Amino acid sequence: MKKMKLVMVGNGMAGVRTLEELLKVAPDLYEITVFGAEPHPNYNRILLSPVLAGEQTLDEIILNPLSWYAEHGITLHRNKKVVSVDRTRRLVTAQDGTEAEYDRLLLATGSTPFVLPVPGKDLEGVIAYRDIADTNRMIDTARTHKHAVVIGGGLLGLEAANGLMLRGMEVTVVHIAPWLMERQLDEVSAKLLQRSLEERGLKFRIGAQTQELVGDENGRVQSVKFKDGTQVTADLVVMAAGIRPNTELAEKIGIHCNRGIVVTDTMQTVTDPRVYSVGECAAHRGIAYGLVAPLFEQGKVCANHLAQFGIGRYMGSQTSTKLKVTGIDLFSAGDFMGGEGTEEIVLSDPFGGVYKKLVLKGNKLVGACMYGDTADGSYYFKLIREGTCINDKRDRLMFGESNIVGVGHEGQSRCPSI
Amino acid sequence: MSANPSAANGTPLQSPSTKTTRATCPYCGTGCGVLIESRQGRIINVQGDPQHPANFGRLCTKGSTLHLTAADTVTQQTRLLVPMRRDQRGEAPAPIAWDTAMEEAADKFAAIIRQHGPDAVGFYGSGQLLTEDYYVLNKLAKGLIGTNNVDTNSRLCMSSAVAGYKATLGSDAPPACYEDFNHAQTMFIVGANTAYAHPILFRRIEDARRANPAMKLIVVDPRRTETADMADLFLQILPGTDVALFHGMLHVLIADGMIDAAYVNQHTQGFEALQDIVRDYTPDSVASTCGIPVADLILAARWFGAQTPTLSLYCQGLNQSSRGTDKNAALINLHLATGQIGIPGAGPFSLTGQPNAMGGREVGGMANLLSGHRDLSNPQHRSEVAALWGVDEVPAQPGQTAVEMFEAAARGEIKALWIACTNPAQSLPDQATVRKALEKAEFVVVQEAFGTTATCAFADILLPATTWGEKDGTVTNSERRISRVQAAVQPSGESRHDWAILTDFGRRLEKRLTQRTAHYRAGINTLFPYDTPESVWNEHRESTRGRDLDITGLSYGMLEASGPQQWPLPEGAGAGQARLYANGVFPTADGKARFAAINYEPVSEPPDQRYPYSLNTGRLRDQWHGMSRTGTLGRLFGHVSEPAIDIHPDDLTRMGLQPGDLVEVASRRGQIVIPVQPSGTIAPMQAFIAMHWGEEYLSGLDNQGQAMSGVNALTVPVFCPQSKQPELKHAAITITPPTLPWRLLAVAWLPESEALAVREALKPLMSAFAFTSCVPFGREPHEKGKVGVLFRAAGIEAASMDVIARIEALMGIDGVDVLRYQDKHRGQHRAMRMERSEEGLKLAAFLMAGDISAEAWIRPLLQDELVADAYGRALLAPGATPPVAIASKGRQVCTCFNVTEPAIIETLASCQGSTDARLQQLQGALKCGTNCGSCIPALRQLVKLHPATASAT
């Protein structure tokens, strides 16, 4: 019999993982077509930082080579940005006019970097940090220029800053929040991180508000100007002030969006049951996830429904973070800030450069934040996800699954205080 | 600067700038002579005086560390250096001028005397005062004010011995001398743990036994002490049954015909009456009363009577009893009946507890005594003293003795108290009453060297007194030997000599009590014409003329030229008298000694169902009284590091307790919380707490929210009707495990210039918990100048973070080098301050709260100053098992050379031959017990416990 048609818009990690899951359970159900705006096959976006840092090459981070698409009879349209969808005719049209019909449509358009709406944002040398192209431009600039400013002291910004520094640039990180990675770290651990990064050579402007990017006569950025009037020389400015779900297409075709493409627990859009969405573009129960683990969970659920098994629901995810800066061990998961109704267990070791905070609610672990020793991160994350009762192990919980500590996983700044 | 740099390390080495001064040790009644070395007005070392007949150059752990207790760092942190006044009780006192202080004191005393009469004031002194201090104190009360309310802590110490001697021999005079140890064939030690309380005498006993292996040593004690361990025969009697034992022995002596009939006939009275009584004390009944085997009783009697000469040594076991006088007299009965007195190697020899209790007795500084061994009750004696002093009379009405004085103050009858050189808020029984007295008294003056005693907290006026190394005068030791005490250094701060303070006070009071001074004999314008201690002493000397203790032939000059002398030493005599009563003539009307026909009476508070245990108290080897001096040295806590109650191992098991568990110990008068430990020295249903642990070291809040006042919260105020000495050696108590699950332990090495001040600063926090103890530790002189402080607490629930933070701040557990773990809701809190050293990271201080089981390995890590690099964050982990094996140095046995038990046991494995031979090899190898020798009994036990390994043979 004739196969159904599945069209996926977006060729990123979440979407392709969904296809992999689908092919596992229903290899022959669909005739699959994929549109990707980038020229590359699916690659591991998370590993762009190591590439920038010169620790890995682009080939090494490719997840699905072109051969994979061929093997599974997937039609891949690279470099083709989808511009419209006719949901009554169930027809997808790309910029270059390429068309594809669908029975099911999977929107996996991911996210776009947030660019500060400041004067000079369009100057030459001002870029976002999102894909291979951005990464290459940074690598090239590092060869020819000296001063870089990274706007945004979050996960991505710090990784970019670290990479540029390793490529020989003098890097200043501008961060508007009171401490770095405020969504992944509490103040104590953030300060430890900052001190350790400073020791490596990064400079920071914490709490500084960017007012304008100043350009030279050639239209290239030359400095960043702050509200307090001070300036920092910059011939490269990387915008890493966060991402926004890419809902441009979805909104255009009348799919309900609210800080992301609104989906149900089955990853179907609330607007059109034939249209699914996964990844950074999808808003599930009000949350658009920016980390890979939850997106893979979404993919699994979505694939199951595309396969018409109709079982499995996505209930949301507990997220955990690791900063991919070599030598800096940092981990946070769940409600690591604690507060009302929670209890905290805290350990600090200035000699080991280690800080750990476990947040408990009742008899369960609900959050963890660790700096300098993340050996037990996965253990805590497991306890958090599974909501294990920890009453019996509370007094030893801090000392890890094996109850043995003090072995390895030391932070860089061994004696930051002296 | 020192002309001789090599002397800068405080070695005994002489150098031009080093001055050596002769004095005596301020601790026990042995009266050891010391040579104090000082340079530039600072005491740098102390040695035993080789020429002093009490110790011939030896010193014990306490004596040999005296110079450390006089170090500037200790003085600055613990001494009272300026007069102070408290505007409000409970507030911190503020410095004032001497003149202001003395004027106020004189005004207050004069006003109270005028309004309520002379008996509304009381003076409470000490057996640690010098004879001169004592004399002025006595004259002030009885001569000027006209009250006999002057007593001293000797009442807690020797008054039963005094009364016992007077009741039988007619006068308060120990007839024997130390030299008798070398002649005795049988040594009978009763109620005395000589190995701890008189270590140097115990060295002499060991020497005597070595010289005469045939000598029999009998020890009688409810506890198997280190002294008992040395005995050929040990009688572990039930508490308070001494009189029954002595009567039982006399019964056997009579039955076996071992009575010296001739002596009894010629030199004694009242034997028949006694005989009638002891007839009923059959060996079987006595054995069951005392809880000892009949055979042992009989053997003891036979050795006593047959293997002569027999010398008895006794101390607080007989004295601190509601029947103290009877116990003393019943023992003296044995000596009279067997004629074992007045001959070399024989006699009832009372060992004095304090360095100058004897001197106090000589000047009559007690509520019932008068100068020169005179009696208040004797009109003749009263007029003699009145004549000597030049007053028309001295009061006849006996004054209030120690316990009575504070009971009277608690009732409001005594309104002003003058306390000198003693710490009643630590040492008197039934602290509840004592504290009530101190709070109720309208005016309290405390004349003290140390500002750290519990009593200081109750004073309205604090007067700084001189102390060891600064004092000038004389003392008399247990064998009636008077020694000169000379000052090595100037008084610290503004402190003044006790005799001078009392003289000044007397003169100011004379101006205010004109109706008293009006009756001075013509030509006398003051009772206090003293400008030197010698001028005081010369007056005292005159008061002895013609008395049994006549020292009219003695002078400061003679003491300085020919050394210490025994009394009597009347005018014309060239030397003192080693032994008394050689001629069998006693200082009684008819020259005959009296047998005491008395019956055995049990302890005043026998154990019952509610209070089933018998509590005994006594000394530790390395501590002294309230520890105001010994407590300043961490190294003196090496022997016993923290307060504890000792009980029999079976009782511990029966109560389901582990060593170190906290127990609540309660008597009818009060309670304390204290760690429990099993001890083979204790008999079942008995218990022992060292007398030293007052609220300064052991406290907490009781059920009524009152601060607990240490061991004497439990003891009974009941005293002997004759001697008025309280029964500190027995109280009925109950022992129950309290529910105090939350524990706190903070331990820190601190600079020696701060440690003791920190301990003082921690004191207010000692009543913030249900249980607290706070002690120093360490080993002065520490190579890095550190002294340790340990603070232990327990409670029903976790203490507030604020309290914990205060403790951490005080103990230097703050700053950036601190590892921390905190689970606030579980009350779990651990903080470890690390310090870098050449060898690596070391633990400098820690506080753990909640679960402190990790103490087992963390504490050795700190105290032994081991490298802690290997631990990292594991230092914060709970549990008693170390994450990395620890090589702890173990318990310190030899304080002088810091030799620990593991080292000794290891060495013993290769020591061959007899116990003595192996002990010698051990001492050769490790030097342990070769300095003061106080640990030799302990070493001997270890030698017996750890035979040489086969491989080493």
Side-chain angles (χ1 to χ4, degrees), chain B residues 237-306:
Chain B
I237 62 168
L238 293 168
T241 60
D242 312 66
V243 170
L245 175 74
F246 303 147
H247 280 8
M249 288 171 69
L250 188 53
H251 182 108
V252 173
L253 288 166
I254 294 168
D256 293 9
M258 285 189 283
I259 302 300
D260 184 338
Y263 192 91
V264 170
N265 294 334
Q266 289 170 39
H267 303 300
T268 71
Q269 267 192 20
F271 188 60
E272 298 69 22
L274 176 60
Q275 214 166 356
D276 293 340
I277 291 174
V278 300
R279 191 168 290 115
D280 302 338
Y281 288 77
T282 62
D284 294 323
S285 66
V286 168
S288 68
T289 307
C290 300
I292 55 170
V294 185
D296 290 356
L297 168 66
I298 293 168
L299 183 59
R302 294 203 171 136
W303 281 353
F304 191 104

Side-chain angles (χ1 to χ4, degrees), chain A residues 342-354 356 372-373 394-399 403 405-410 415 417-418, chain B residues 816-826 828 830 832-836 841 851 870-881:
Chain A
T342 64
E343 300 176 2
E344 291 180 5
I345 307 179
V346 180
L347 176 149
S348 59
D349 169 6
F351 292 88
V354 169
K356 298 182 178 185
D373 172 8
R394 178 166 179 160
D395 289 347
R396 293 196 149 267
L397 194 58
M398 180 60 86
F399 302 94
N403 280 344
V405 293
V407 197
H409 305 289
E410 300 288 312
C415 310
S417 46
I418 283 78
Chain B
V816 289
D817 289 354
V818 182
L819 277 70
R820 291 187 176 279
Y821 172 91
Q822 189 180 55
D823 183 347
K824 203 138 104 263
H825 292 75
R826 292 259 301 119
Q828 300 296 317
R830 291 188 276 282
M832 311 276 154
R833 184 168 75 78
M834 310 304 288
E835 219 163 59
R836 287 170 184 73
L841 278 184
D851 168 12
Y871 296 88
R873 284 172 307 289
L875 282 171
L876 298 167
T881 35

Side-chain angles (χ1 to χ4, degrees), chain B residues 593-913:
Chain B
R594 311 281 193 267
F595 279 101
I598 39 148
N599 261 299
Y600 158 69
E601 299 285 345
V603 292
S604 63
E605 188 179 71
D608 56 22
Q609 257 147 339
R610 274 186 66 207
Y611 299 95
Y613 288 86
S614 287
L615 174 68
N616 190 355
T617 68
R619 284 188 175 152
L620 295 174
R621 192 192 72 196
D622 292 354
Q623 298 295 349
W624 172 257
H625 283 196
M627 302 160 78
S628 51
R629 179 181 294 279
T630 52
T632 62
L633 295 186
R635 65 186 278 159
L636 290 182
F637 290 75
H639 181 238
V640 173
S641 59
E642 292 178 71
I645 181 170
D646 293 358
I647 63 171
H648 190 278
D650 294 351
D651 293 330
L652 190 83
T653 323
R654 194 167 36 72
M655 286 188 276
L657 294 169
Q658 295 299 316
D661 284 357
L662 289 176
V663 289
E664 181 176 293
V665 182
S667 76
R668 288 177 173 80
R669 292 151 299 281
Q671 86 249 23
I672 61 172
V673 178
I674 186 171
V676 68
Q677 71 188 19
S679 168
T681 68
I682 308 295
M685 297 314 288
Q686 294 185 28
F688 175 84
I689 301 176
M691 64 183 277
H692 312 291
W693 304 124
E695 74 167 25
E696 298 94 331
Y697 295 87
L698 172 69
S699 190
L701 279 185
D702 67 14
N703 308 345
Q704 288 75 42
Q706 294 290 317
M708 293 188 284
S709 48
V711 58
N712 284 314
L714 306 167
T715 47
V716 289
V718 179
F719 48 74
C720 167
Q722 291 86 26
S723 71
K724 309 291 181 80
Q725 181 162 358
E727 188 152 66
L728 287 160
K729 288 269 177 204
H730 187 272
I733 55 163
T734 149
I735 302 174
T736 49
T739 323
L740 300 173
W742 186 83
R743 302 299 172 91
L744 179 144
L745 176 66
V747 187
W749 283 112
L750 297 164
E752 58 193 0
S753 58
E754 295 168 22
L756 298 169
V758 166
R759 213 186 72 78
E760 291 308 305
L762 283 165
K763 275 183 186 174
L765 287 159
M766 290 181 74
S767 46
F769 305 87
F771 156 81
T772 43
S773 72
C774 186
V775 292
F777 63 86
R779 174 165 173 76
E780 303 86 353
H782 184 281
E783 47 286 343
K784 295 201 182 66
K786 298 290 182 76
V787 173
V789 173
L790 181 149
F791 184 92
R792 189 185 291 281
I796 297 167
E797 58 198 9
S800 74
M801 279 314 299
D802 164 59
V803 169
I804 291 176
R806 277 164 69 196
I807 296 171
E808 285 189 344
L810 283 168
M811 297 186 73
I813 308 173
D814 46 15
V816 289
D817 289 354
V818 182
L819 277 70
R820 291 187 176 279
Y821 172 91
Q822 189 180 55
D823 183 347
K824 203 138 104 263
H825 292 75
R826 292 259 301 119
Q828 300 296 317
H829 181 103
R830 291 188 276 282
M832 311 276 154
R833 184 168 75 78
M834 310 304 288
E835 219 163 59
R836 287 170 184 73
S837 74
E838 312 74 53
E839 307 102 295
L841 278 184
K842 287 182 174 183
L843 187 55
F846 71 81
L847 180 147
M848 50 175 98
D851 168 12
I852 64 163
S853 52
E855 171 186 5
W857 56 276
I858 297 239
R859 198 173 146 195
L861 201 61
L862 179 138
Q863 286 189 325
D864 297 347
E865 299 178 78
L866 306 173
V867 176
D869 288 332
Y871 296 88
R873 284 172 307 289
L875 282 171
L876 298 167
T881 35
V884 183
I886 293 224
S888 165
K889 295 204 184 93
R891 182 177 72 95
Q892 181 191 59
V893 177
C894 172
T895 328
C896 299
F897 294 111
N898 189 25
V899 184
T900 58
E901 191 165 321
I904 290 165
I905 294 169
E906 192 189 339
T907 311
L908 279 172
S910 53
C911 294
Q912 308 297 321

Side-chain angles (χ1 to χ4, degrees), chain B residues 407-426:
Chain B
E407 285 172 348
R411 287 193 306 269
E413 293 162 24
I414 289 180
K415 301 178 186 310
L417 282 168
W418 188 292
I419 299 163
C421 194
T422 184
N423 185 12
Q426 190 277 339

Side-chain angles (χ1 to χ4, degrees), chain A residues 123 147-149 172 174 203-205 208-216 221-234 237:
Chain A
L123 287 166
H147 305 285
V149 167
T172 304
V174 178
K203 296 190 181 57
F204 290 91
R205 293 292 305 267
Q209 297 186 42
T210 309
Q211 187 177 43
E212 150 175 34
L213 307 182
V214 186
D216 61 15
V221 66
Q222 65 176 21
S223 74
V224 177
K225 193 170 175 197
F226 302 106
K227 281 223 163 58
D228 64 8
T230 56
Q231 294 201 18
V232 180
T233 322
V237 172

Side-chain angles (χ1 to χ4, degrees), chain B residues 291-499:
Chain B
I292 55 170
V294 185
D296 290 356
L297 168 66
I298 293 168
L299 183 59
R302 294 203 171 136
W303 281 353
F304 191 104
Q307 183 162 343
T308 57
T310 296
L311 181 71
S312 294
L313 303 176
Y314 51 99
C315 199
Q316 307 310 345
L318 297 197
N319 297 347
Q320 292 178 333
S321 161
S322 58
R323 294 288 158 184
T325 309
D326 291 355
K327 288 181 178 180
N328 275 265
L331 175 59
I332 295 168
N333 283 342
L334 292 175
H335 284 271
L336 292 172
T338 53
Q340 289 305 308
I341 184 170
I343 52 172
F349 193 176
S350 153
L351 299 179
T352 318
Q354 300 194 81
N356 198 36
M358 288 284 285
R361 288 143 70 176
E362 289 152 27
V363 304
M366 306 289 273
N368 58 327
L369 301 177
L370 280 174
S371 307
H373 282 178
R374 291 180 176 83
D375 262 319
L376 261 181
S377 49
N378 181 328
Q380 168 71 21
H381 286 177
R382 288 203 303 276
S383 50
E384 283 173 20
V385 172
L388 272 164
W389 286 346
V391 296
D392 58 351
E393 59 158 20
V394 291
Q397 171 69 25
Q400 307 279 17
T401 64
V403 173
E404 297 169 309
M405 189 181 292
F406 284 84
E407 285 172 348
R411 287 193 306 269
E413 293 162 24
I414 289 180
K415 301 178 186 310
L417 282 168
W418 188 292
I419 299 163
C421 194
T422 184
N423 185 12
Q426 190 277 339
S427 54
L428 279 173
D430 184 16
Q431 278 297 312
T433 306
V434 174
R435 278 131 198 280
K436 188 156 163 260
L438 289 165
E439 279 156 14
K440 180 130 188 190
E442 289 173 21
F443 189 57
V444 177
V445 176
V446 174
Q447 174 178 329
E448 245 291 346
F450 291 90
T452 53
T453 70
T455 306
C456 288
F458 296 90
D460 297 298
I461 298 242
L462 288 154
L463 302 176
T466 52
T467 185
W468 181 84
E470 301 166 353
K471 286 179 79 81
D472 184 7
T474 59
V475 294
T476 311
N477 72 1
S478 298
E479 61 168 358
R480 292 172 281 107
R481 189 177 298 278
I482 300 171
S483 299
R484 242 328 242 127
V485 172
Q486 300 183 78
V489 295
Q490 287 300 307
S492 297
E494 296 182 20
S495 62
R496 295 183 182 175
H497 299 308
D498 292 281
W499 69 265

Side-chain angles (χ1 to χ4, degrees), chain A residues 1-7 19 21-33 72-73 103-104 276 302-310:
Chain A
M1 97 182 219
K2 189 159 172 293
K3 287 188 183 175
M4 291 199 293
K5 293 193 178 63
L6 168 65
V7 172
L19 296 185
E21 297 284 351
L22 174 62
L23 292 167
K24 260 190 257 163
V25 293
D28 305 318
L29 189 59
Y30 290 101
E31 183 184 314
I32 303 172
T33 307
H72 297 88
D103 299 294
R104 299 281 185 277
Y276 291 71
C302 182
N304 183 283
H305 288 276
L306 287 171
Q308 301 185 325
F309 293 150

